[in-house]
């Protein structure tokens, strides 16, 4: 089957069409008005995004989900700071202006390219389950899984946050700036106030009933009982005070009154209190691990290993697709999307069975991205139609173990930060509090995560244990896929996205668009989405991607259209730097 979809074909053909693509894919409005007044640099970056053009630079660049946060990072980089320094400034501001997505109360994964040592590594700042947690925590008295929001809202879902530890560790290892100074932009903005963005205002209004359940949360997001409005000036003195405490002592989050306040708030939540203790906080550590890499188009696509499924699943998809000539097919050919869709289904089958926290369960980590295994799996894609059946494969194990398929639910929130500094260091960090507004519990000016609902609510299936079941001290499986693409040992692309388990499809598609189809990073992040996890093929509504519905349906895929709310932020490193920010969200790239 060879049907040409002219509009999608045109995506690869130049900026006029990139403009058309950018215009077509804005399920949530971009917000140029308030932000454009921040500075000329921000106004130029917003205009570039609206025009579908990448931002360019020679020395440094930062791309993230909110112009205030990007500006804070840009100021650090312009003053000679490293990407690790800028990361602290960006995350501290995001926790204020985009509080629904990430912050001190959540977790993050960082992929880091260190220019000095010419080495790639990863830092895991994933939340941990309390030591008192039991595997059946998310089941009712009959052993049935709780309804999702019954589990999310309140103290039951809150794990020990990892983002503060990750930031402190990364900055101590790779930063050169003064830790306290790096928090200053966020402190000033929290004290002086910031204008609520249209996106934040819209999300608060949509979630008002849940936010209203907890007094501290309600008084911040629903002052006088009404959702904060776009353009309303909001201060957060409690957040500024928390940052001041962290400025004085980076460990303060885990040792003293802050940890105690979180424990008290979580455990006292009504109707569902948690089981955290200050011991859980004092035991928290970040994990440094080797990156997981897979080959694609003469590049190595590298990212975060367990407990994230991100790099393994993106790597499996791309590693299988590398056996087919996607470049020759091009984005117009439905056969390209058949290959992408079925490679994704095969990868998600393995993800559901094998991927979890490898500190707790044996995992075939190497086997899952072994080239010989992926070559065998790729042979399954040789036909013309959708695979009628998709099941997990049998990757090589270091030691034997069999798991049942996972049943965790993930909804999209989260945020991604890409940074390149003037020394050549590269940071790619995805950061989250899980659901939008996390557990809805707020302490000292920041929201607490609901990351524990990323565990499987069931522990077994037909008597076989599920790898991603809840266990005390364990880290829930993630889909976050912060990525650095390497070519001949050098970094060429930093990229990542929010989007729950669709993160994997968003990141894989953007890498294909950039490397195989020659799109610049702005075109690649703006391109209409078509993502397949394990069930339906999701096409982005009201975009040219929806034109694939007929051809993919004829091939046997279960196809539907829906809003697909990625938040891709990418920096390409080559002859200079080019940055792209997803038009579906409020972010920008800034560079010099
Ligand atoms: N909670 C989103 C993720 O970690 O994938």
């Amino acid at each position: 089957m060879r049907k040409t979809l002219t509009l999608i074909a045109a995506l690869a053909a130049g900026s006029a069409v990139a403009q058309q693509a950018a215009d077509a894919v804005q399920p949530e409005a971009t917000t140029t008005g308030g932000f454009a007044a921040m500075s000329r640099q921000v106004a130029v970056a917003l205009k570039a995004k609206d025009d579908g053009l990448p931002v360019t630079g020679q020395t440094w660049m930062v791309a993230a989900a909110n112009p205030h946060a990007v500006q804070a990072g840009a100021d650090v980089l312009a003053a000679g700071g490293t990407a690790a320094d800028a990361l602290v400034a960006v995350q501290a501001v995001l926790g204020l202006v985009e509080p629904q997505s990430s912050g001190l109360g959540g977790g993050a994964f960082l992929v880091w390219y260190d220019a000095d040592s010419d080495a790639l590594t990863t830092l895991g700042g994933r939340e941990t389950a309390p030591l008192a947690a039991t595997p059946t925590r998310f089941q009712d008295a009959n052993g049935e899984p709780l309804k999702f929001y019954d589990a999310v809202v309140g103290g039951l879902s809150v794990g020990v946050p990892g983002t503060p530890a990750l930031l402190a560790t990364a900055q101590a290892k790779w930063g050169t700036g003064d830790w306290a100074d790096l928090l200053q932009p966020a402190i000033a903005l929290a004290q002086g106030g910031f204008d609520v963005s249209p996106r934040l205002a819209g999300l608060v209004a949509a979630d008002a009933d849940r936010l209203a359940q907890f007094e501290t949360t309600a008084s911040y997001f629903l002052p006088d009982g009404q959702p904060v409005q776009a353009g309303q000036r909001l201060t957060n003195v409690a957040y500024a005070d928390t940052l001041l405490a962290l400025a004085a002592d980076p460990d303060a989050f885990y040792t003293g009154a802050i940890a105690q306040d979180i424990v008290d708030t979580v455990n006292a939540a009504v109707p569902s209190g948690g089981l955290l203790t200050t011991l859980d906080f004092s035991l928290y550590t970040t994990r440094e691990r080797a990156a997981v890499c897979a080959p694609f188009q003469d590049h190595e696509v590298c990212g975060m290993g367990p407990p994230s499924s991100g790099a393994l699943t993106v790597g499996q998809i791309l590693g299988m697709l590398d056996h087919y000539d996607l470049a020759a097919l091009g984005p117009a050919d439905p056969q390209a999307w058949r290959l992408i869709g079925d490679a994704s289904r095969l990868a998600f089958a393995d993800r559901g069975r094998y991927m979890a926290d490898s500190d707790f369960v044996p995992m075939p980590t190497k086997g899952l991205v072994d080239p010989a295994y992926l070559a065998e799996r790729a042979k399954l894609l040789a036909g013309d139609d959708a695979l009628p059946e998709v099941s997990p494969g049998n990757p090589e194990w270091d030691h034997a173990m069999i798991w049942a398929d996972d049943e965790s639910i993930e909804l999209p929130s989260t945020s991604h930060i890409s940074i390149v500094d003037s020394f050549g260091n590269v940071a790619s960090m995805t950061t989250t509090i899980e659901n939008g507004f996390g557990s809805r519990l707020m302490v000292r000016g920041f929201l607490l995560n609901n990351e524990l609902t990323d565990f499987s609510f069931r522990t077994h299936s037909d008597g076989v244990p599920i790898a991603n079941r809840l266990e005390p001290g364990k880290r829930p499986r993630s889909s976050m896929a912060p990525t650095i693409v390497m070519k001949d040992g050098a970094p060429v692309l930093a990229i990542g996205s929010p989007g729950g388990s669709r993160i994997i499809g968003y990141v894989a598609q953007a890498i294909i668009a950039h490397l195989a189809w020659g799109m610049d990073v702005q075109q690649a992040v703006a391109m209409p989405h078509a993502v397949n996890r394990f069930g339906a093929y999701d096409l982005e509504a009201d975009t040219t991607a929806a034109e694939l519905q007929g051809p993919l349906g004829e091939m046997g895929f279960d196809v539907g259209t829906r809003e697909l709310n990625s938040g891709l932020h990418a920096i390409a490193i080559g002859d200079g730097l080019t940055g792209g920010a997803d038009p579906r969200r409020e972010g920008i790239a800034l560079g010099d």
Side-chain angles (χ1 to χ4, degrees), residues 509-534:
Q509 183 185 323
I511 291 172
I512 293 166
H514 185 58
L515 295 186
W517 296 334
M519 296 188 200
D520 68 42
V521 280
Q522 187 58 41
Q523 290 172 320
V525 303
M527 186 184 187
H529 288 308
V531 289
N532 198 319
R533 294 175 295 173
F534 200 52

Side-chain angles (χ1 to χ4, degrees), residues 227-255:
V228 289
Q229 300 293 305
Q232 182 177 335
R233 181 58 57 117
L234 202 58
T235 56
N236 189 339
V237 175
Y239 186 64
D241 290 346
T242 302
L243 292 177
L244 284 166
L246 294 188
D249 174 10
D251 285 338
F253 192 90
Y254 294 92
T255 52

Side-chain angles (χ1 to χ4, degrees), residues 27 77 122 267 283 340 376 392 400 543 560 580:
L77 294 168
T122 72
N267 296 351
L283 291 176
I340 293 168
E376 274 308 304
T543 74

